[in-house]
Amino acid sequence: MTKHYTGLIERYRDRLPVSASTRIISIGEGNTPLIQLQNIPRLIHKEVDIYVKYEGLNPTGSFKDRGMTMAVTKAVEEGSQAIVCASTGNTSASAAAYAVRAGITAFVLIPEGKIAQGKLAQTLMYGAKIIQIKDNFDAGMKIVKEIIDHAPVTLVNSVNPYRIDGQKTAAFEIIDELGDAPDYHCLPVGNAGNITAYWKGYREYAADSGKLPAVASKAPVMCGYQAAGAAPFISGKMVDNPETVATAIRIGHPQSWDYAWAAQKQSGGWFDCFTDDKILAAQKMLASFEGIFCEPASAASLAGALNDIGSGKIPEGSKIVCTLTGNGLKDPDIAISQCAEDKPVVVEATLDAVKRAILEQM
Ligand code: F0G
């Protein structure tokens, strides 16, 4: 009998801080597809292997579920009755879902009017206690870091080390599937927890820690991409009023600042940023040439990879993985506005009218 997949903690139990008696809070996260792009490399006339790690297929539609299964498992193990986070939308949806699964309460702080519709819908459905603040993510983050001293709640943002432990399993999955680490790993950077987690996972499998047997021969070059209006890693200093259409990464004061710089330096990688237009173009390209729909922030990874392949910074012959952090359905408004010129035709409901509509568009 094949073993039923029960989530990433079970799969990577020996590399995660759980014991035999730990009650695991899981919704079947992880084990997401690693999809090789077929059309885009041909389109750009480059000999490169580009894979996308489609994290939008996690239970709540983003990579946050990897960290949340660990953070909520440990919060429950430590006796917590409530969790709290600040969020640009995905963390709040994930926290809300895992809190339900655990039977505890989730309090989420979100910037009023600045989170995508899909994320708001999920968080409402899961029944989280939503607190909208009249400021941005960074302001919310500052408050939740202080609130834990004033209320009996566990913080589940990525400053919680268990979040990083859960998220590092994405690197394990990539190596398990490819047989070794890729040459380059490209991902969007906001609060910088995910780049920190991937780097930890890659290093562990390359046995850099000295404690574990090596599974991979190397760790990849880490390439972190931001939106031009929210790019503290490019300016080298915090940004007070971040702005971007990619609301998931509308962050100016990343919490994992030092860890992200360490990942960049130790891997020989780099940070770069792109305009909203370039990010949205990559999102559309992925959907229309590969049939893969990610949210705007996620497309920063592909925008960056294509830019750096084009300039030769990432040489031909490379194996590249781009993380697609969230599902395209998270942000239907941006998707529909991107396709304003592709309005569906409206015809009479007759065989003849439909036949004409098809033949005209062949
Ligand atoms: N992509 C998506 C879709 C995200 O939701 C986030 C972060 C990132 C990329 C950046 O990851 O913060 O680890 O560098 N979203 C957080 C949230 C901030 O609240 O959902 P990071």
Side-chain angles (χ1 to χ4, degrees):
M1 209 176 87
T2 53
K3 195 173 178 296
H4 175 61
Y5 181 78
T6 49
L8 62 84
I9 297 181
E10 284 298 353
R11 181 170 177 191
Y12 294 110
R13 182 176 259 288
D14 56 337
R15 292 176 186 270
L16 292 169
V18 289
S19 73
S21 62
T22 306
R23 176 185 158 214
I24 290 168
I25 311 299
S26 166
I27 321 179
E29 57 294 314
N31 202 19
T32 54
L34 186 66
I35 310 163
Q36 185 165 14
L37 300 189
Q38 293 179 343
N39 300 319
I40 291 176
R42 266 209 305 273
L43 208 70
I44 60 173
H45 304 293
K46 294 284 185 185
E47 285 293 327
V48 280
D49 286 335
I50 310 176
Y51 296 84
V52 294
K53 181 71 171 157
Y54 195 19
E55 292 287 275
L57 292 192
N58 275 297
T60 77
S62 86
F63 72 98
K64 304 288 179 180
D65 296 343
R66 289 183 186 276
M68 210 54 75
T69 183
M70 257 324 300
V72 175
T73 291
K74 294 305 280 187
V76 168
E77 186 169 62
E78 287 158 13
S80 182
Q81 290 296 312
I83 56 175
V84 69
C85 66
S87 180
T88 57
N90 281 325
T91 300
S92 55
S94 187
Y98 284 81
V100 169
R101 195 77 167 171
I104 61 174
T105 306
F107 293 95
V108 306
L109 267 71
I110 53 174
E112 187 191 18
K114 290 292 183 182
I115 82 165
Q117 282 294 317
K119 303 175 189 181
L120 186 60
Q122 294 177 283
T123 310
L124 286 163
M125 283 297 281
Y126 295 133
K129 309 281 184 213
I130 301 179
I131 302 164
Q132 300 201 65
I133 57 167
K134 295 176 190 296
D135 205 327
N136 62 23
F137 169 83
D138 299 309
M141 198 61 233
K142 187 164 182 295
I143 295 167
V144 292
K145 285 204 300 187
E146 288 171 23
I147 206 84
I148 52 176
D149 295 328
H150 301 271
V153 290
T154 301
L155 183 59
V156 295
N157 280 104
S158 57
V159 291
N160 177 329
Y162 298 126
R163 279 277 311 277
I164 304 297
D165 271 325
Q167 285 173 214
K168 76 183 178 185
T169 60
F172 297 165
E173 288 178 14
I174 291 166
I175 292 171
D176 286 342
E177 195 160 340
L178 294 179
D180 204 344
D183 301 311
Y184 295 85
H185 189 109
C186 303
L187 79 172
V189 174
N191 212 22
N194 212 26
I195 190 168
T196 301
Y198 270 99
W199 185 236
K200 186 172 189 200
Y202 279 127
R203 272 194 356 258
E204 275 190 31
Y205 256 23
D208 199 357
S209 67
K211 289 189 295 245
L212 296 158
V215 181
S217 71
K218 61 175 192 282
V221 172
M222 300 297 295
C223 311
Y225 302 114
Q226 302 206 283
F233 285 102
I234 287 71
S235 62
K237 56 181 195 303
M238 301 295 172
V239 172
D240 281 339
N241 293 300
E243 269 313 336
T244 168
V245 69
T247 52
I249 51 171
R250 188 171 167 271
I251 296 172
H253 290 242
Q255 296 297 312
S256 295
W257 180 255
D258 294 336
Y259 291 123
W261 282 112
Q264 176 265 322
K265 289 199 182 80
Q266 292 167 14
S267 75
W270 57 83
F271 293 109
D272 205 348
C273 65
F274 299 100
T275 60
D276 284 356
D277 282 352
K278 206 154 175 195
I279 291 170
L280 292 178
Q283 183 200 21
K284 183 108 191 262
M285 189 179 191
L286 197 55
S288 58
F289 288 101
E290 300 284 354
I292 301 168
F293 188 22
C294 68
E295 68 170 283
S298 310
S301 62
L302 182 68
L306 294 180
N307 184 74
D308 293 339
I309 292 165
S311 72
K313 202 168 177 182
I314 296 180
E316 292 204 57
S318 298
K319 192 173 277 188
I320 304 146
V321 172
C322 296
T323 301
L324 301 181
T325 45
N327 196 298
L329 295 171
K330 292 271 190 178
D331 197 341
D333 296 329
I334 296 293
I336 291 169
S337 71
Q338 278 239 64
C339 303
E341 283 161 21
D342 314 326
K343 278 219 170 58
V345 296
V346 182
V347 301
E348 294 302 326
T350 64
L351 178 64
D352 194 47
V354 173
K355 185 181 93 183
R356 235 181 305 126
I358 289 175
L359 295 179
E360 274 168 15
Q361 297 186 82
M362 290 281 286

